[in-house]
Amino acid sequence: MREKATTLYIGPQHPGITGNMMVKVKVEGDTIVKATTEVGYLHRAFEKLQEKRNWLQSFTLMCRFCVPESDPMEESYSRAVEAIEGREVPERAKYIRVMVLELARLASFMLWYGGQNGSLGLYTMGQWSVGDRNYILDLFEELTGGRVYHMYIWPGGVRRDLPKGFEQKVLKTLDYIEKRLNDYDDLMFDNAIFKKRTQGVGIVDKRKAIEHGVVGAVLRGCGIKSDIRIDDPYEVYDKLDFEVPTAEGGDIWARALVRRQEARQSIRIIRQVIADMPGGSFYNKIPNPQKWTIPKGDAYVRTESVRGEIGMYIASDGGTMPRRVHLRGAAYVHGITLLEDVLVGENLADISAIMNSLGTCPPEIER
Amino acid sequence: MSFFDLKGTLKPLTALKQFGKKPHTIEFAEKSLEAADRYRGFHYNELEDCIGCGNCSIICQNAAIDMIHIEGIEGKNGDSGLRPRVDHGRCCWCALCVEVCPTGSLSLTKDYQYVSDDPDSFLWIPGVDNPEGKNNLSFTTTQENSLNNFNRIPMPELDGMERVKSFAEAVLGYNEEMAREEASRCISCGLCTEVCPDHMHIPEYINAIATGNDKDAIRIIYDNNPLPEMCGKVCTRRCEDVCAIAVRGESVAIRWLKRYATETAATSDITYEIVNPEIKEANGYKVGIVGAGPSGLTAAYYLALRGFDVTIYEANAKAGGMTMYGIPKYRFPLESLDKQVEYIEKIGVKIKYSTKVGKDISFDKIYKDSDAVFMGVGFPKAWTLGIDGEDAKGSMQAVNYLHEINAGEKVEIGDKVAVIGGGNVAIDAARVSARMGADVTILYRRRVEDMPADWEEIEGAEDEGINIVPQAIPIKVLADKKGQVTGIEYLMAEMVPDERGGRPKPVAIEGSNKVLEITALMGAIGQQGDYSFLEGEYEEKIKVERGRFVVNENQQTTDPKVFAGGDAVNRTADAISAIADGFRACKAIDEMLVKK
């Protein structure tokens, strides 16, 4: 006998939701028959605000688009501005940028470890990984002066040079994190509960992935090898040796396997970057910010964030402020159209795990 | 997967090996984290170094910084007297305020904890409310990583030895690219406007140049200065002394930027076209102006724009006053001046040349024919040195020498010239003499750094091989039997600190006598007024005190119908003050006659 359908409202304030958004689900028993996402709780109009701020002031807003992804946003903004203006970036700055981007990836993965397990009620993992993440934030604090919002990668290079002995500290931290990743495996990938709750859950098959324009670990989790760092390399990624892990199945488990490998690849990249770090200048200084104009034109750049490819479109009318800044983030698709599609047929208890796995980031969706 | 996953059940239990390990968190309250050396915590402002330029407030994209008056800090030249107050509830800790602070006074500290139940207490005046922050600075800027551009675009000029060969203009001027780049260094704080006697709209016209709108720049400049090309070349530019960028670097080249803007209008016709002045319908009032110097021309220009019938009476054959007859042509070429005077005449100002008031026309007639009179008569008479033998042949006044050379006359100076003095007139006379082929020595009572002349002029003179002898006090002019100058005897001086805190005084050293062989001597120790044209009742009605007309804040003399400006009124004795006087007088005359 069919059970009577009920509508439930998950969020906007809910510990299982990765930010402030709502998923309206129609359930029969505990099986979801229809899911509708409702966003709008986190809209801060950054893109509009940027039209009223000069090119330098705008840069400080970028990191706020998505909390655990501050650096890829700054990177995209900077690269787009540099592309329109034709501003050269010193080689050293490019290496530092890659180091920062990969450290940010690593820090973001640590947060995901916590979130993904927390959504399944496995809280020890989060206590470990979020605690270990702090060692990376310590590095950020020393390098940039900020722990979460770094405001470090700006047009022309980076804001400050590496402090003395910083590379050694990074290597030391990486050694520690690498060791800890194995501990995480014991707790997560070898855990029967984790396997049972994730295998065959939240499946995104290849067809669906392509239909929705899915990117990043979600795309790689269904066996498609795609990574902007390889496909359209920026900064110095073309000089680095690293792999793009993929997995088959398209379920939460497959995506977790991809991320597990990616964290290790990030460590590999950072070690190479530190070994090859050239000397010289770290910054091609911009003119006085008040009078800094960018020639008329536009640019679209692609960056591989932790959630996948993000696209940044910036247009300049030749003035001191951007005419338009637009971000196409990974979460926009993953958190709205894909989520609504994937949730159908899933168990009510898995909503949070699926959202985490898809990399849903409401602040990035709404900007 | 089997129903019971043994490995999957046991593996997570390995977490137990962490049991008993020391936690990697610290217990707050007992211990607190030490922030990193670059940490972006709360603000601290070094109040003494801060000049209140407000650049922090401008860059703050959260509008978290406002500039406020603080008790005990008064504004002065180069300091607005305001200090930043930061709303730490709005601040996003981007530290751009630190990056753009031209003085480096603003920093962020390692302090990151603040607890209060009073929401208003998050509004801090850095440096006032947290003096202890000084010992805890973290995020700071140096000259290298500051976002200000501290280096001025060098001005191209003729080589020193090349330029003494002729009266060709020594400074070549910025090209477009240089001007744009130099203009882009300005942070629009307006400290310059405050100190400019004429309060020119400096940030505005520099911004116009920076954004490629040279015509706008010219229009802005003509708002309150009808002789901008003259100012662009020879202004004493007090604005540059107070430039915020100059605190840690080289000031924005305000004068050269004005020069660039005005030079883009090559003729008076082009200037007219660009400025497109709005000339009001004639209002029927007549104004007579004595002297076509900077103050007279300024008053005339703005009065004519306001519909007055203006006539200037000029004793010399050309207008410009000291800028025509005092400033050498390698600094301020004749064409530049002619262009500006032509433009002023074009808008309807009548200039009666070679008409000396008191000789060719009486002051009384001008007074009675006009509804208001403006006197910009300047300081035409030089002070004499007051030493023995000064009336010898070949001993002359630098200002007279410059006048004659600028009028195209020949003056015999021989091949060895001594100039006494340290102001711009002394340097001008020396550099002109060098161009006439003489070996030139400047004798100055005080040290080189005490010279009132423009530093660029002093450097220019040195480049041209002029010998400057500081701390030299002339005591006697030596002459041969025919009465021709042969030498100057002087004493060396030592600098004695002034007890009242003034600048050190030169005191002659007994027995340090030296003699310099010369063929000509020029005195350049200052000028004074000549008010002999004021006869009869006017001599009484128009009061003169210590050599200058007595005027009120509207440039009005003790005769309400008569206004005065320029050197004969103000002590600064520079063209820009004269222009300011003329502009003020114009407004006052308009107020008095038209607006009432």
PDB file of all heavy atoms in Angstrom, chain A residues 53 57 135 141 143-145 149-150 159 161 190 192 285 288 290, chain B residues 8 24 36 38 40 55 59 61 94 99 140 146 148 184 186-187:
ATOM      1  N   ARG A  53      32.580  49.578  -6.682  1.00  0.00           N
ATOM      2  CA  ARG A  53      33.859  49.633  -5.980  1.00  0.00           C
ATOM      3  C   ARG A  53      34.979  49.593  -6.993  1.00  0.00           C
ATOM      4  O   ARG A  53      34.808  49.001  -8.056  1.00  0.00           O
ATOM      5  CB  ARG A  53      33.962  48.446  -5.007  1.00  0.00           C
ATOM      6  CG  ARG A  53      33.258  48.754  -3.705  1.00  0.00           C
ATOM      7  CD  ARG A  53      32.806  47.520  -3.000  1.00  0.00           C
ATOM      8  NE  ARG A  53      32.153  47.852  -1.736  1.00  0.00           N
ATOM      9  CZ  ARG A  53      30.968  48.420  -1.625  1.00  0.00           C
ATOM     10  NH1 ARG A  53      30.308  48.756  -2.702  1.00  0.00           N
ATOM     11  NH2 ARG A  53      30.448  48.670  -0.440  1.00  0.00           N
ATOM     12  N   GLN A  57      39.285  47.553  -4.494  1.00  0.00           N
ATOM     13  CA  GLN A  57      38.278  47.287  -3.458  1.00  0.00           C
ATOM     14  C   GLN A  57      37.484  46.028  -3.799  1.00  0.00           C
ATOM     15  O   GLN A  57      37.148  45.236  -2.913  1.00  0.00           O
ATOM     16  CB  GLN A  57      37.328  48.476  -3.338  1.00  0.00           C
ATOM     17  CG  GLN A  57      37.979  49.714  -2.752  1.00  0.00           C
ATOM     18  CD  GLN A  57      37.072  50.919  -2.845  1.00  0.00           C
ATOM     19  OE1 GLN A  57      36.326  51.070  -3.803  1.00  0.00           O
ATOM     20  NE2 GLN A  57      37.134  51.790  -1.863  1.00  0.00           N
ATOM     21  N   TYR A 135      46.200  23.609  11.280  1.00  0.00           N
ATOM     22  CA  TYR A 135      47.634  23.763  11.009  1.00  0.00           C
ATOM     23  C   TYR A 135      47.859  24.441   9.653  1.00  0.00           C
ATOM     24  O   TYR A 135      48.821  25.180   9.468  1.00  0.00           O
ATOM     25  CB  TYR A 135      48.342  22.397  11.061  1.00  0.00           C
ATOM     26  CG  TYR A 135      48.397  21.851  12.470  1.00  0.00           C
ATOM     27  CD1 TYR A 135      47.632  20.772  12.858  1.00  0.00           C
ATOM     28  CD2 TYR A 135      49.201  22.476  13.421  1.00  0.00           C
ATOM     29  CE1 TYR A 135      47.670  20.299  14.159  1.00  0.00           C
ATOM     30  CE2 TYR A 135      49.244  22.016  14.723  1.00  0.00           C
ATOM     31  CZ  TYR A 135      48.469  20.928  15.087  1.00  0.00           C
ATOM     32  OH  TYR A 135      48.517  20.491  16.374  1.00  0.00           O
ATOM     33  N   GLU A 141      47.800  32.165   8.063  1.00  0.00           N
ATOM     34  CA  GLU A 141      47.915  33.343   8.936  1.00  0.00           C
ATOM     35  C   GLU A 141      49.316  33.942   8.826  1.00  0.00           C
ATOM     36  O   GLU A 141      49.491  35.146   8.747  1.00  0.00           O
ATOM     37  CB  GLU A 141      47.623  32.949  10.386  1.00  0.00           C
ATOM     38  CG  GLU A 141      47.679  34.142  11.321  1.00  0.00           C
ATOM     39  CD  GLU A 141      47.425  33.748  12.763  1.00  0.00           C
ATOM     40  OE1 GLU A 141      46.642  32.828  13.012  1.00  0.00           O
ATOM     41  OE2 GLU A 141      48.019  34.387  13.641  1.00  0.00           O
ATOM     42  N   LEU A 143      51.393  33.583   6.320  1.00  0.00           N
ATOM     43  CA  LEU A 143      51.681  34.083   4.976  1.00  0.00           C
ATOM     44  C   LEU A 143      50.874  35.329   4.633  1.00  0.00           C
ATOM     45  O   LEU A 143      51.396  36.294   4.080  1.00  0.00           O
ATOM     46  CB  LEU A 143      51.384  32.976   3.952  1.00  0.00           C
ATOM     47  CG  LEU A 143      51.587  33.337   2.476  1.00  0.00           C
ATOM     48  CD1 LEU A 143      53.055  33.620   2.208  1.00  0.00           C
ATOM     49  CD2 LEU A 143      51.108  32.221   1.566  1.00  0.00           C
ATOM     50  N   THR A 144      49.571  35.302   4.962  1.00  0.00           N
ATOM     51  CA  THR A 144      48.688  36.347   4.449  1.00  0.00           C
ATOM     52  C   THR A 144      48.181  37.303   5.521  1.00  0.00           C
ATOM     53  O   THR A 144      47.706  38.373   5.203  1.00  0.00           O
ATOM     54  CB  THR A 144      47.451  35.713   3.781  1.00  0.00           C
ATOM     55  OG1 THR A 144      46.632  35.126   4.807  1.00  0.00           O
ATOM     56  CG2 THR A 144      47.841  34.635   2.798  1.00  0.00           C
ATOM     57  N   GLY A 145      48.259  36.897   6.776  1.00  0.00           N
ATOM     58  CA  GLY A 145      47.725  37.744   7.843  1.00  0.00           C
ATOM     59  C   GLY A 145      46.292  37.404   8.195  1.00  0.00           C
ATOM     60  O   GLY A 145      45.738  37.950   9.135  1.00  0.00           O
ATOM     61  N   TYR A 149      39.752  34.255   5.390  1.00  0.00           N
ATOM     62  CA  TYR A 149      39.716  35.179   4.255  1.00  0.00           C
ATOM     63  C   TYR A 149      41.118  35.749   4.075  1.00  0.00           C
ATOM     64  O   TYR A 149      41.562  36.593   4.833  1.00  0.00           O
ATOM     65  CB  TYR A 149      38.731  36.309   4.524  1.00  0.00           C
ATOM     66  CG  TYR A 149      37.277  35.868   4.507  1.00  0.00           C
ATOM     67  CD1 TYR A 149      36.324  36.497   5.289  1.00  0.00           C
ATOM     68  CD2 TYR A 149      36.866  34.842   3.664  1.00  0.00           C
ATOM     69  CE1 TYR A 149      35.000  36.099   5.264  1.00  0.00           C
ATOM     70  CE2 TYR A 149      35.549  34.433   3.635  1.00  0.00           C
ATOM     71  CZ  TYR A 149      34.615  35.062   4.437  1.00  0.00           C
ATOM     72  OH  TYR A 149      33.314  34.678   4.397  1.00  0.00           O
ATOM     73  N   HIS A 150      41.778  35.271   3.028  1.00  0.00           N
ATOM     74  CA  HIS A 150      43.195  35.611   2.924  1.00  0.00           C
ATOM     75  C   HIS A 150      43.456  36.937   2.229  1.00  0.00           C
ATOM     76  O   HIS A 150      44.369  37.654   2.583  1.00  0.00           O
ATOM     77  CB  HIS A 150      43.928  34.488   2.206  1.00  0.00           C
ATOM     78  CG  HIS A 150      43.656  33.158   2.835  1.00  0.00           C
ATOM     79  ND1 HIS A 150      43.406  32.025   2.120  1.00  0.00           N
ATOM     80  CD2 HIS A 150      43.555  32.801   4.143  1.00  0.00           C
ATOM     81  CE1 HIS A 150      43.180  31.012   2.944  1.00  0.00           C
ATOM     82  NE2 HIS A 150      43.241  31.469   4.182  1.00  0.00           N
ATOM     83  N   ARG A 159      50.292  39.450  -2.404  1.00  0.00           N
ATOM     84  CA  ARG A 159      50.372  40.660  -1.598  1.00  0.00           C
ATOM     85  C   ARG A 159      51.688  40.802  -0.847  1.00  0.00           C
ATOM     86  O   ARG A 159      52.186  41.905  -0.673  1.00  0.00           O
ATOM     87  CB  ARG A 159      49.212  40.642  -0.611  1.00  0.00           C
ATOM     88  CG  ARG A 159      48.576  41.979  -0.477  1.00  0.00           C
ATOM     89  CD  ARG A 159      47.245  41.836   0.176  1.00  0.00           C
ATOM     90  NE  ARG A 159      47.013  42.988   1.026  1.00  0.00           N
ATOM     91  CZ  ARG A 159      45.917  43.202   1.705  1.00  0.00           C
ATOM     92  NH1 ARG A 159      44.946  42.322   1.647  1.00  0.00           N
ATOM     93  NH2 ARG A 159      45.775  44.274   2.441  1.00  0.00           N
ATOM     94  N   ASP A 161      55.588  38.682   0.133  1.00  0.00           N
ATOM     95  CA  ASP A 161      56.467  37.561  -0.184  1.00  0.00           C
ATOM     96  C   ASP A 161      56.384  36.509   0.933  1.00  0.00           C
ATOM     97  O   ASP A 161      55.840  36.777   2.008  1.00  0.00           O
ATOM     98  CB  ASP A 161      57.905  38.065  -0.329  1.00  0.00           C
ATOM     99  CG  ASP A 161      58.724  37.133  -1.212  1.00  0.00           C
ATOM    100  OD1 ASP A 161      58.185  36.088  -1.628  1.00  0.00           O
ATOM    101  OD2 ASP A 161      59.896  37.451  -1.484  1.00  0.00           O
ATOM    102  N   ASP A 190      37.588   2.675   5.519  1.00  0.00           N
ATOM    103  CA  ASP A 190      37.528   1.286   5.965  1.00  0.00           C
ATOM    104  C   ASP A 190      36.382   1.068   6.944  1.00  0.00           C
ATOM    105  O   ASP A 190      36.307   0.052   7.616  1.00  0.00           O
ATOM    106  CB  ASP A 190      38.856   0.897   6.648  1.00  0.00           C
ATOM    107  CG  ASP A 190      39.964   0.756   5.618  1.00  0.00           C
ATOM    108  OD1 ASP A 190      39.634   0.466   4.441  1.00  0.00           O
ATOM    109  OD2 ASP A 190      41.136   0.955   5.970  1.00  0.00           O
ATOM    110  N   ALA A 192      32.685   0.338   7.943  1.00  0.00           N
ATOM    111  CA  ALA A 192      31.512  -0.331   7.382  1.00  0.00           C
ATOM    112  C   ALA A 192      30.307   0.592   7.302  1.00  0.00           C
ATOM    113  O   ALA A 192      29.545   0.564   6.333  1.00  0.00           O
ATOM    114  CB  ALA A 192      31.179  -1.561   8.222  1.00  0.00           C
ATOM    115  N   LYS A 285      53.499  45.709  -9.353  1.00  0.00           N
ATOM    116  CA  LYS A 285      52.678  46.694  -8.639  1.00  0.00           C
ATOM    117  C   LYS A 285      51.651  47.394  -9.536  1.00  0.00           C
ATOM    118  O   LYS A 285      51.976  47.838 -10.629  1.00  0.00           O
ATOM    119  CB  LYS A 285      53.613  47.729  -8.028  1.00  0.00           C
ATOM    120  CG  LYS A 285      52.967  48.644  -7.029  1.00  0.00           C
ATOM    121  CD  LYS A 285      54.057  49.374  -6.264  1.00  0.00           C
ATOM    122  CE  LYS A 285      53.525  50.588  -5.567  1.00  0.00           C
ATOM    123  NZ  LYS A 285      54.535  51.224  -4.746  1.00  0.00           N
ATOM    124  N   ASN A 288      48.309  53.618  -8.406  1.00  0.00           N
ATOM    125  CA  ASN A 288      47.480  54.133  -7.324  1.00  0.00           C
ATOM    126  C   ASN A 288      46.032  53.647  -7.497  1.00  0.00           C
ATOM    127  O   ASN A 288      45.396  53.941  -8.494  1.00  0.00           O
ATOM    128  CB  ASN A 288      47.575  55.661  -7.398  1.00  0.00           C
ATOM    129  CG  ASN A 288      46.654  56.364  -6.444  1.00  0.00           C
ATOM    130  OD1 ASN A 288      46.058  55.729  -5.578  1.00  0.00           O
ATOM    131  ND2 ASN A 288      46.542  57.657  -6.600  1.00  0.00           N
ATOM    132  N   GLN A 290      43.159  54.438  -6.544  1.00  0.00           N
ATOM    133  CA  GLN A 290      42.119  55.430  -6.857  1.00  0.00           C
ATOM    134  C   GLN A 290      42.055  55.759  -8.343  1.00  0.00           C
ATOM    135  O   GLN A 290      41.014  56.114  -8.863  1.00  0.00           O
ATOM    136  CB  GLN A 290      42.459  56.737  -6.148  1.00  0.00           C
ATOM    137  CG  GLN A 290      41.892  56.873  -4.794  1.00  0.00           C
ATOM    138  CD  GLN A 290      42.161  58.278  -4.282  1.00  0.00           C
ATOM    139  OE1 GLN A 290      42.080  59.256  -5.015  1.00  0.00           O
ATOM    140  NE2 GLN A 290      42.523  58.371  -3.032  1.00  0.00           N
TER     141      GLN A 290
ATOM    142  N   GLY B   8      35.597  -3.727   8.348  1.00  0.00           N
ATOM    143  CA  GLY B   8      34.950  -2.420   8.422  1.00  0.00           C
ATOM    144  C   GLY B   8      34.443  -2.099   9.818  1.00  0.00           C
ATOM    145  O   GLY B   8      34.176  -0.947  10.142  1.00  0.00           O
ATOM    146  N   HIS B  24      45.657  18.754  20.605  1.00  0.00           N
ATOM    147  CA  HIS B  24      46.371  19.826  19.913  1.00  0.00           C
ATOM    148  C   HIS B  24      45.618  21.159  19.944  1.00  0.00           C
ATOM    149  O   HIS B  24      45.949  22.080  19.244  1.00  0.00           O
ATOM    150  CB  HIS B  24      46.792  19.435  18.485  1.00  0.00           C
ATOM    151  CG  HIS B  24      45.660  18.931  17.638  1.00  0.00           C
ATOM    152  ND1 HIS B  24      45.880  18.423  16.393  1.00  0.00           N
ATOM    153  CD2 HIS B  24      44.342  18.813  17.860  1.00  0.00           C
ATOM    154  CE1 HIS B  24      44.711  18.036  15.872  1.00  0.00           C
ATOM    155  NE2 HIS B  24      43.783  18.259  16.749  1.00  0.00           N
ATOM    156  N   ALA B  36      50.287  35.605  14.277  1.00  0.00           N
ATOM    157  CA  ALA B  36      51.456  35.622  13.393  1.00  0.00           C
ATOM    158  C   ALA B  36      51.963  37.043  13.196  1.00  0.00           C
ATOM    159  O   ALA B  36      51.251  38.017  13.470  1.00  0.00           O
ATOM    160  CB  ALA B  36      51.086  35.007  12.048  1.00  0.00           C
ATOM    161  N   ARG B  38      52.281  38.768  10.672  1.00  0.00           N
ATOM    162  CA  ARG B  38      51.569  39.554   9.679  1.00  0.00           C
ATOM    163  C   ARG B  38      50.081  39.631   9.990  1.00  0.00           C
ATOM    164  O   ARG B  38      49.303  40.033   9.142  1.00  0.00           O
ATOM    165  CB  ARG B  38      51.700  38.851   8.333  1.00  0.00           C
ATOM    166  CG  ARG B  38      52.688  39.479   7.440  1.00  0.00           C
ATOM    167  CD  ARG B  38      52.788  38.652   6.177  1.00  0.00           C
ATOM    168  NE  ARG B  38      54.150  38.670   5.724  1.00  0.00           N
ATOM    169  CZ  ARG B  38      54.600  37.950   4.723  1.00  0.00           C
ATOM    170  NH1 ARG B  38      53.773  37.159   4.068  1.00  0.00           N
ATOM    171  NH2 ARG B  38      55.852  38.023   4.373  1.00  0.00           N
ATOM    172  N   ARG B  40      46.362  40.324  10.705  1.00  0.00           N
ATOM    173  CA  ARG B  40      45.573  41.535  10.476  1.00  0.00           C
ATOM    174  C   ARG B  40      44.550  41.684  11.599  1.00  0.00           C
ATOM    175  O   ARG B  40      43.411  41.276  11.488  1.00  0.00           O
ATOM    176  CB  ARG B  40      44.886  41.462   9.110  1.00  0.00           C
ATOM    177  CG  ARG B  40      45.857  41.332   7.942  1.00  0.00           C
ATOM    178  CD  ARG B  40      45.164  41.650   6.624  1.00  0.00           C
ATOM    179  NE  ARG B  40      44.057  40.757   6.361  1.00  0.00           N
ATOM    180  CZ  ARG B  40      44.104  39.714   5.537  1.00  0.00           C
ATOM    181  NH1 ARG B  40      45.213  39.439   4.891  1.00  0.00           N
ATOM    182  NH2 ARG B  40      43.065  38.956   5.359  1.00  0.00           N
ATOM    183  N   ASN B  55      43.113  58.962   2.954  1.00  0.00           N
ATOM    184  CA  ASN B  55      43.192  57.928   1.920  1.00  0.00           C
ATOM    185  C   ASN B  55      42.650  56.590   2.440  1.00  0.00           C
ATOM    186  O   ASN B  55      42.078  55.814   1.685  1.00  0.00           O
ATOM    187  CB  ASN B  55      44.648  57.767   1.452  1.00  0.00           C
ATOM    188  CG  ASN B  55      44.733  57.318   0.009  1.00  0.00           C
ATOM    189  OD1 ASN B  55      43.803  57.520  -0.764  1.00  0.00           O
ATOM    190  ND2 ASN B  55      45.831  56.699  -0.355  1.00  0.00           N
ATOM    191  N   ILE B  59      39.648  54.366   0.569  1.00  0.00           N
ATOM    192  CA  ILE B  59      39.816  52.995   0.059  1.00  0.00           C
ATOM    193  C   ILE B  59      38.887  52.029   0.773  1.00  0.00           C
ATOM    194  O   ILE B  59      38.556  50.979   0.232  1.00  0.00           O
ATOM    195  CB  ILE B  59      41.282  52.536   0.188  1.00  0.00           C
ATOM    196  CG1 ILE B  59      41.561  51.322  -0.725  1.00  0.00           C
ATOM    197  CG2 ILE B  59      41.644  52.160   1.619  1.00  0.00           C
ATOM    198  CD1 ILE B  59      41.675  51.625  -2.169  1.00  0.00           C
ATOM    199  N   GLN B  61      36.223  49.862   1.569  1.00  0.00           N
ATOM    200  CA  GLN B  61      35.036  49.541   0.766  1.00  0.00           C
ATOM    201  C   GLN B  61      33.821  49.271   1.646  1.00  0.00           C
ATOM    202  O   GLN B  61      32.721  49.087   1.143  1.00  0.00           O
ATOM    203  CB  GLN B  61      35.343  48.381  -0.180  1.00  0.00           C
ATOM    204  CG  GLN B  61      35.703  47.095   0.490  1.00  0.00           C
ATOM    205  CD  GLN B  61      34.564  46.108   0.484  1.00  0.00           C
ATOM    206  OE1 GLN B  61      33.500  46.404  -0.029  1.00  0.00           O
ATOM    207  NE2 GLN B  61      34.785  44.958   1.075  1.00  0.00           N
ATOM    208  N   CYS B  94      40.583  43.813   5.569  1.00  0.00           N
ATOM    209  CA  CYS B  94      41.316  43.614   4.315  1.00  0.00           C
ATOM    210  C   CYS B  94      42.647  44.338   4.348  1.00  0.00           C
ATOM    211  O   CYS B  94      43.548  44.036   3.575  1.00  0.00           O
ATOM    212  CB  CYS B  94      40.487  44.087   3.127  1.00  0.00           C
ATOM    213  SG  CYS B  94      40.176  45.862   3.104  1.00  0.00           S
ATOM    214  N   GLU B  99      47.658  49.518   3.278  1.00  0.00           N
ATOM    215  CA  GLU B  99      48.442  49.483   2.038  1.00  0.00           C
ATOM    216  C   GLU B  99      48.500  50.840   1.347  1.00  0.00           C
ATOM    217  O   GLU B  99      49.455  51.114   0.631  1.00  0.00           O
ATOM    218  CB  GLU B  99      47.831  48.464   1.049  1.00  0.00           C
ATOM    219  CG  GLU B  99      47.599  47.084   1.617  1.00  0.00           C
ATOM    220  CD  GLU B  99      48.807  46.171   1.524  1.00  0.00           C
ATOM    221  OE1 GLU B  99      49.937  46.668   1.485  1.00  0.00           O
ATOM    222  OE2 GLU B  99      48.596  44.944   1.492  1.00  0.00           O
ATOM    223  N   THR B 140      52.043  45.940   8.498  1.00  0.00           N
ATOM    224  CA  THR B 140      52.501  47.312   8.234  1.00  0.00           C
ATOM    225  C   THR B 140      52.931  47.423   6.773  1.00  0.00           C
ATOM    226  O   THR B 140      53.004  46.431   6.068  1.00  0.00           O
ATOM    227  CB  THR B 140      53.714  47.652   9.108  1.00  0.00           C
ATOM    228  OG1 THR B 140      54.710  46.669   8.855  1.00  0.00           O
ATOM    229  CG2 THR B 140      53.387  47.643  10.578  1.00  0.00           C
ATOM    230  N   SER B 146      54.137  49.386  -0.224  1.00  0.00           N
ATOM    231  CA  SER B 146      52.996  50.301  -0.184  1.00  0.00           C
ATOM    232  C   SER B 146      52.387  50.407  -1.574  1.00  0.00           C
ATOM    233  O   SER B 146      53.072  50.243  -2.576  1.00  0.00           O
ATOM    234  CB  SER B 146      53.472  51.673   0.269  1.00  0.00           C
ATOM    235  OG  SER B 146      52.464  52.620   0.017  1.00  0.00           O
ATOM    236  N   ASN B 148      51.246  53.157  -2.682  1.00  0.00           N
ATOM    237  CA  ASN B 148      51.511  54.493  -3.203  1.00  0.00           C
ATOM    238  C   ASN B 148      52.738  54.417  -4.094  1.00  0.00           C
ATOM    239  O   ASN B 148      53.623  53.608  -3.886  1.00  0.00           O
ATOM    240  CB  ASN B 148      51.793  55.467  -2.061  1.00  0.00           C
ATOM    241  CG  ASN B 148      50.573  55.669  -1.215  1.00  0.00           C
ATOM    242  OD1 ASN B 148      49.578  56.171  -1.697  1.00  0.00           O
ATOM    243  ND2 ASN B 148      50.627  55.238   0.031  1.00  0.00           N
ATOM    244  N   SER B 184      48.657  59.980 -12.111  1.00  0.00           N
ATOM    245  CA  SER B 184      48.014  58.837 -11.457  1.00  0.00           C
ATOM    246  C   SER B 184      48.590  58.590 -10.059  1.00  0.00           C
ATOM    247  O   SER B 184      48.070  57.771  -9.317  1.00  0.00           O
ATOM    248  CB  SER B 184      48.151  57.582 -12.314  1.00  0.00           C
ATOM    249  OG  SER B 184      49.446  57.049 -12.181  1.00  0.00           O
ATOM    250  N   CYS B 186      48.584  60.815  -7.700  1.00  0.00           N
ATOM    251  CA  CYS B 186      47.863  61.681  -6.748  1.00  0.00           C
ATOM    252  C   CYS B 186      46.778  60.897  -6.024  1.00  0.00           C
ATOM    253  O   CYS B 186      46.068  60.105  -6.631  1.00  0.00           O
ATOM    254  CB  CYS B 186      47.250  62.841  -7.521  1.00  0.00           C
ATOM    255  SG  CYS B 186      46.123  63.831  -6.558  1.00  0.00           S
ATOM    256  N   ILE B 187      46.649  61.113  -4.724  1.00  0.00           N
ATOM    257  CA  ILE B 187      45.616  60.415  -3.958  1.00  0.00           C
ATOM    258  C   ILE B 187      44.434  61.336  -3.611  1.00  0.00           C
ATOM    259  O   ILE B 187      43.589  60.996  -2.794  1.00  0.00           O
ATOM    260  CB  ILE B 187      46.181  59.779  -2.671  1.00  0.00           C
ATOM    261  CG1 ILE B 187      46.790  60.843  -1.756  1.00  0.00           C
ATOM    262  CG2 ILE B 187      47.207  58.708  -2.998  1.00  0.00           C
ATOM    263  CD1 ILE B 187      47.088  60.329  -0.358  1.00  0.00           C
TER     264      ILE B 187
END
